[in-house]
Amino acid sequence: MATQVTKAANTPRGSLFLQLAIALQTLTIFLQAVSAGLLLASSFGETLHSAGARVMYGASMLYVLAAVLAWKPGGGSARPVRHASGFLGLASVQVVLGIAHVPSVHLPLGVLMFGLSVLALVRR
């Protein structure tokens, strides 16, 4: 009798953590888009968007940590580390643009970051 092995059973623990970190990052960026809409429509939107920015930045740092943990001890590819580091750089630029109130660049960069995060999630 042949035994079927699922992809989850073959996935190293670090890779699963990496996938969860990317999913969390994608979710937080999506929630930032929702809170940006609330920013325009309600009085508490600014507080929610500001708090969400901190959570999104933390999720980007978690993505870097997960990528390093999947790479170094597990002997995987260094490519996710480069992607995560680049994304953390984009998140840093995004925070600076948000604080400086430059929506003409802040909004398109947010859309780009969401697209890249979804792409990273699908590729894992």
Side-chain angles (χ1 to χ4, degrees):
M1 183 164 132
T3 305
Q4 289 184 345
V5 178
T6 63
K7 182 180 177 186
N10 280 340
T11 305
R13 193 174 246 168
S15 182
L16 180 62
F17 181 46
L18 180 60
Q19 194 169 8
L20 289 172
I22 296 170
L24 177 66
Q25 174 183 271
T26 305
L27 177 65
T28 59
I29 294 172
F30 177 75
L31 292 175
Q32 278 300 92
V34 171
S35 69
L38 290 173
L39 178 70
L40 301 172
S42 68
S43 60
F44 64 88
E46 183 177 355
T47 304
L48 189 60
H49 195 67
S50 178
R54 289 168 176 80
V55 173
M56 185 277 303
Y57 198 77
S60 296
M61 288 190 285
L62 183 67
Y63 178 24
V64 172
L65 175 65
V68 169
L69 290 176
W71 165 58
K72 198 63 173 166
S77 172
R79 182 180 293 170
V81 176
R82 289 191 300 270
H83 290 172
S85 299
F87 204 96
L88 184 60
L90 287 176
S92 299
V93 170
Q94 183 72 336
V95 168
V96 169
L97 290 170
I99 291 171
H101 300 288
V102 185
S104 61
V105 182
H106 182 75
L107 292 174
L109 182 57
V111 172
L112 174 68
M113 288 172 62
F114 180 70
L116 290 173
S117 193
V118 168
L119 183 62
L121 183 62
V122 170
R123 290 182 67 186
R124 289 296 314 152

